[in-house]
Amino acid sequence: MNYTEFYQESLGKPEVFWQKQSKALPWFKAPSTILSEDTNGYPLWFADGETNACYLALDQHIEAGYGEQIALIYDSPVTQTIRKYSFNEVKSEVARLAGGLLALGLKTGDTAVIYMPMIPQAAFAMLACARIGVTHSVVFGGFAPHELAIRIDDCTPKVIITASSGIEIDRLIAYKPLVDEAIALANHKPKKVVVLNRKLGARIPFKKYDVDYDALIYGSEEVACVPVLATHPLYVLYTSGTTGKPKGIVRDTGGYATALKFSMQYIYGAQPGEVFWAASDVGWVVGHSYIVYGPLINRNTTVLFEGKPIRTPDASTFWRVISEHKVSVMFTAPTAIRAIKKEDPNGDFIKQYDLSCLRTQFLAGERCDVATLEWYNQHIPIPAIDHWWQTESGWPMISNMMGVEQLPVKPGSASKAVAGYDIRIFSENGEELGPNEEGFVVIKLPLPPGTLLDIWKDNARFHAGYLSKFPGYYFSGDGGFKDEDGYIFITGRVDDVINVAGHRLSTAEMEEIVAAHPAVAECAVIGINDELKGQIPLALVVTKSGEPIEHFQLQHEVVQKVREQIGAVASLKEVLVVQRLPKTRSGKILRKLMRSMIDGVEYQIPSTIDDEAIIDEIIEVVVQGKIGSFK
């Protein structure tokens, strides 16, 4: 199959193209309206179709005679546990949990929050919600109570599903006290909290709203899937925004399922029955799309891994999982490969395992540096495919489509646009730029199926953030350029969102926390390049006059506050005290300029600065001051 012809077909006749792809799935009611618009003029896919994501992930395969195929492998080096579940077993667990949720009063159209570690019950909870038409919102288990409370207030769940604890390498993290604190902080109060006791020794304070997970399952009957419209919200997944308030990305059901089935076949090249492993977390979009829904809809065995690429027990763990479970296609973040490379630069651990089963390695979540790609290709001679997408898209936008035609790899590029995405590079004025001219990465509407439907309860923010800057186009928030061959290079965010080890975090939110410290007069948090994590946040603060405080004390207190309110995932460790922050005449802090200076890349003094004193200030603070010594 030829990529160019396939791609042009998807853009030339999108309705015909995606109707054909939708027929790869069984529908309760096949859609007759393929492409339409909502009341605000935003494109909708398959609006009158009826389906159910849990049915597509489980029941259809059982009905086709694959009930005994392994659906999910739970591999947990932190608890030294490996457990395999067939499609029949997963369906039984999910259908009984769904029955239990119905007994608690949930119904189609309600919402539930899932706050769990990487355990099978996290996937069961997602599928159980989908089974009865309850919109789920999975919150990453590394987030602190403050962050969880924000999400509780926004999506107003009837029920929270959690576990007694998670494990961070060798440290037990009690989840239940965090959930209780979040509920105390939140204005909205869920009716019930379903708690899975992992029996690992974590403290589980009892509250009147608590329900035991195992007891709920034991006393429930299996329930059938509820047909929902294709446009029914399957889930709300929060991602960082430039204002500091997370955005609830709304995902539909029918378009998403169609896109995931399409991507498993044409992007990842995964054949039904093969083992697919996305080494991510269910709290992120990768976990939703490629640990739970995508592989199961495509009848792949999915690996749910509770561990880290290193220290569980060492840098061999990924290779052990691949070899032991016969993984055909793997997906992880470049950070994981860099961590392994640091611990095992000569690839000695790799040589201990038979990796002949592994056909393709996909990398995403952050920009992949050339050195990491070269190290991987040197030690594992299979294609290492860098690809690019977002929480908003739900599935890849730029990738080498391995199930269509394998294109030559250009290090630094995530390859060409995926079928369905008309990606262009615009100037600030909305003019399309030529080859190798850097600008804003935009996508012509309509976006293909499976992309974001809206922002939860905030359509105005949805339009303002994604659709208003370039009318008729989706604005990705990223900068980049195309070369003369159509390969796309993503250069990074153009807003105040940074990417820490594949996790999108808002520097605006961190700034709010830092600024709240009583000794801080003003501050700026910027993302700077980091060899291991891609980016890490750095806080620059100006202290108040008459507020003497030791630098170490200030740093400790600020770091702790960020950890408490966002979580350890924020990775803020450095707080630098400066005399003043470089600004324009209008008072705008020159974050991009400082970032470029610190990272050692070319920069230009903005034309809005013509005061010698301000230029001297920048040089003093950034080049001669503490930041220079920091790098």
Side-chain angles (χ1 to χ4, degrees):
M1 192 183 301
N2 179 278
Y3 160 79
T4 302
E5 292 176 1
F6 192 71
Y7 179 71
Q8 291 301 332
E9 179 189 349
S10 74
L11 298 191
K13 297 180 179 179
E15 291 183 65
V16 174
F17 184 87
W18 289 110
Q19 183 177 35
K20 178 182 177 182
Q21 303 309 323
S22 73
K23 291 179 178 178
L25 298 172
W27 293 75
F28 294 143
K29 178 189 173 187
S32 58
T33 301
I34 306 305
L35 181 60
S36 57
E37 292 183 345
D38 66 13
T39 55
N40 296 303
Y42 186 68
L44 295 175
W45 290 96
F46 316 125
D48 63 345
E50 293 184 7
T51 186
N52 183 286
C54 184
Y55 176 83
L56 297 174
L58 302 175
D59 300 65
Q60 69 151 325
H61 306 310
I62 294 169
E63 293 171 5
Y66 296 102
E68 289 307 305
Q69 180 191 313
I70 298 301
L72 185 148
I73 299 172
Y74 169 53
D75 190 306
S76 172
V78 294
T79 61
Q80 298 182 5
T81 303
I82 294 177
R83 171 81 194 274
K84 298 181 180 181
Y85 296 83
S86 67
F87 277 101
N88 284 329
E89 289 171 322
V90 174
K91 182 198 169 188
S92 178
E93 294 276 350
V94 167
R96 283 186 292 144
L97 177 55
L101 295 177
L102 287 175
L104 293 180
L106 272 77
K107 62 184 186 302
T108 301
D110 287 338
T111 55
V113 160
I114 300 168
Y115 185 75
M116 299 186 93
M118 282 293 288
I119 54 178
Q121 290 78 8
F124 299 163
M126 295 166 69
L127 291 163
C129 289
R131 195 171 188 84
I132 56 175
V134 169
T135 300
H136 63 68
S137 184
V138 181
V139 178
F140 174 59
F143 278 139
H146 170 73
E147 291 292 313
L148 179 55
I150 291 172
R151 289 153 175 79
I152 290 171
D153 278 338
D154 196 65
C155 75
T156 60
K158 273 192 178 178
V159 168
I160 296 177
I161 306 170
T162 190
S164 55
S165 63
I167 302 175
E168 184 67 24
I169 300 179
D170 56 2
R171 181 169 61 96
L172 202 65
I173 302 172
Y175 275 29
K176 184 55 168 47
L178 302 178
V179 172
D180 291 338
E181 185 180 342
I183 292 173
L185 290 170
N187 294 316
H188 173 79
K189 306 298 180 185
K191 292 183 177 178
K192 297 291 181 183
V193 176
V194 179
V195 185
L196 173 73
N197 186 353
R198 299 187 70 189
K199 302 185 173 91
L200 297 175
R203 185 169 67 91
I204 314 175
F206 179 78
K207 300 287 185 179
K208 289 183 179 179
Y209 48 61
D210 287 350
V211 176
D212 182 74
Y213 182 103
D214 290 326
L216 183 66
I217 292 281
Y218 182 78
S220 300
E221 297 289 330
E222 294 188 17
V223 298
C225 294
V226 174
V228 297
L229 285 173
T231 53
H232 176 76
L234 175 62
Y235 64 77
V236 178
L237 184 59
Y238 288 88
T239 186
S240 293
T242 56
T243 65
K245 180 186 177 185
K247 299 174 291 190
I249 302 301
V250 180
R251 190 81 64 216
D252 69 358
T253 299
Y256 185 52
T258 300
L260 292 182
K261 174 67 176 177
F262 174 83
S263 68
M264 292 299 296
Q265 179 180 354
Y266 291 110
I267 297 175
Y268 297 105
Q271 300 301 313
E274 292 184 327
V275 180
F276 184 93
W277 179 25
S280 182
D281 190 286
V282 291
W284 307 119
V285 68
V286 174
H288 285 60
S289 295
Y290 297 113
I291 296 177
V292 181
Y293 291 110
L296 295 179
I297 287 173
N298 199 48
R299 192 169 58 76
N300 291 114
T301 299
T302 186
V303 179
L304 194 149
F305 176 73
E306 187 182 26
K308 300 288 183 182
I310 58 174
R311 296 178 59 196
T312 58
D314 53 39
S316 72
T317 190
F318 271 22
W319 320 126
R320 192 248 332 145
V321 172
I322 293 168
S323 177
E324 188 169 337
H325 303 308
K326 301 293 183 282
V327 174
S328 295
V329 182
M330 187 190 175
F331 179 161
T332 192
T335 298
I337 304 301
R338 283 195 292 267
I340 294 170
K341 174 187 169 188
K342 183 180 179 182
E343 295 289 316
D344 185 24
N346 298 319
D348 293 329
F349 282 124
I350 299 172
K351 299 166 188 172
Q352 298 175 14
Y353 295 95
D354 178 6
L355 303 180
S356 58
C357 57
L358 187 63
R359 187 169 64 249
T360 319
Q361 172 74 66
F362 282 84
L363 300 168
E366 55 181 304
R367 188 179 179 187
C368 184
D369 59 286
V370 174
T372 298
L373 272 176
E374 290 178 345
W375 181 87
Y376 190 94
N377 288 326
Q378 176 187 348
H379 294 287
I380 304 178
I382 63 165
I385 306 299
D386 184 18
H387 64 323
W388 175 81
W389 49 297
Q390 302 174 320
T391 301
E392 289 86 346
S393 70
W395 61 288
M397 295 189 276
I398 303 172
S399 181
N400 211 320
M401 299 187 71
M402 299 301 285
V404 179
E405 177 189 7
Q406 184 177 344
L407 300 175
V409 171
K410 287 192 179 185
S413 171
S415 195
K416 298 184 180 183
V418 165
Y421 291 98
D422 186 352
I423 300 179
R424 306 187 187 189
I425 310 298
F426 276 8
S427 70
E428 180 72 50
N429 299 323
E431 299 171 345
E432 187 167 3
L433 298 175
N436 301 307
E437 292 185 288
E438 185 175 346
F440 298 97
V441 179
V442 302
I443 305 165
K444 192 176 189 300
L445 298 179
L447 297 178
T451 51
L452 76 170
L453 197 65
D454 204 345
I455 290 179
W456 186 254
K457 296 180 181 177
D458 201 344
N459 184 258
R461 189 181 184 192
F462 170 55
H463 278 263
Y466 298 106
L467 306 176
S468 63
K469 187 174 180 67
F470 302 106
Y473 292 82
Y474 164 87
F475 173 44
S476 71
D478 277 299
F481 63 91
K482 283 186 185 181
D483 71 7
E484 56 282 345
D485 298 320
Y487 280 73
I488 303 170
F489 294 74
I490 301 296
T491 54
R493 299 295 295 179
V494 297
D495 55 24
D496 293 323
V497 174
I498 63 173
N499 197 312
V500 181
H503 309 324
R504 269 175 62 178
L505 299 169
S506 168
T507 55
E509 188 175 11
M510 291 186 216
E511 282 186 9
E512 289 178 13
I513 298 168
V514 176
H517 190 285
V520 173
E522 61 178 346
C523 68
V525 176
I526 60 176
I528 60 174
N529 289 337
D530 179 76
E531 185 178 333
L532 183 61
K533 296 189 175 184
Q535 283 184 297
I536 55 171
L538 170 68
L540 298 97
V541 302
V542 177
T543 57
K544 293 177 181 176
S545 299
E547 289 276 357
I549 185 170
E550 288 288 332
H551 174 254
F552 178 80
Q553 180 188 348
L554 177 63
Q555 175 167 284
H556 174 75
E557 291 174 0
V558 166
V559 168
Q560 285 301 114
K561 206 67 180 174
V562 171
R563 179 180 285 263
E564 287 170 12
Q565 295 196 35
I566 296 179
V569 68
S571 293
L572 177 65
K573 295 177 182 176
E574 294 289 341
V575 178
L576 301 181
V577 177
V578 295
Q579 294 300 310
R580 52 191 176 272
L581 295 171
K583 302 175 185 176
T584 63
R585 285 171 293 173
S586 63
K588 181 181 178 182
I589 297 173
L590 294 164
R591 292 177 178 83
K592 183 177 181 181
L593 181 62
M594 290 192 292
R595 202 162 52 231
S596 298
M597 286 179 163
I598 295 168
D599 289 337
V601 300
E602 281 190 31
Y603 59 86
Q604 288 184 330
I605 303 295
S607 58
T608 51
I609 303 177
D610 57 6
D611 187 332
E612 265 325 301
I614 296 179
I615 296 175
D616 290 342
E617 182 178 348
I618 296 170
I619 294 171
E620 179 184 350
V621 172
V622 179
V623 180
Q624 298 173 358
K626 294 179 181 178
I627 302 176
S629 61
F630 170 70
K631 289 298 284 186

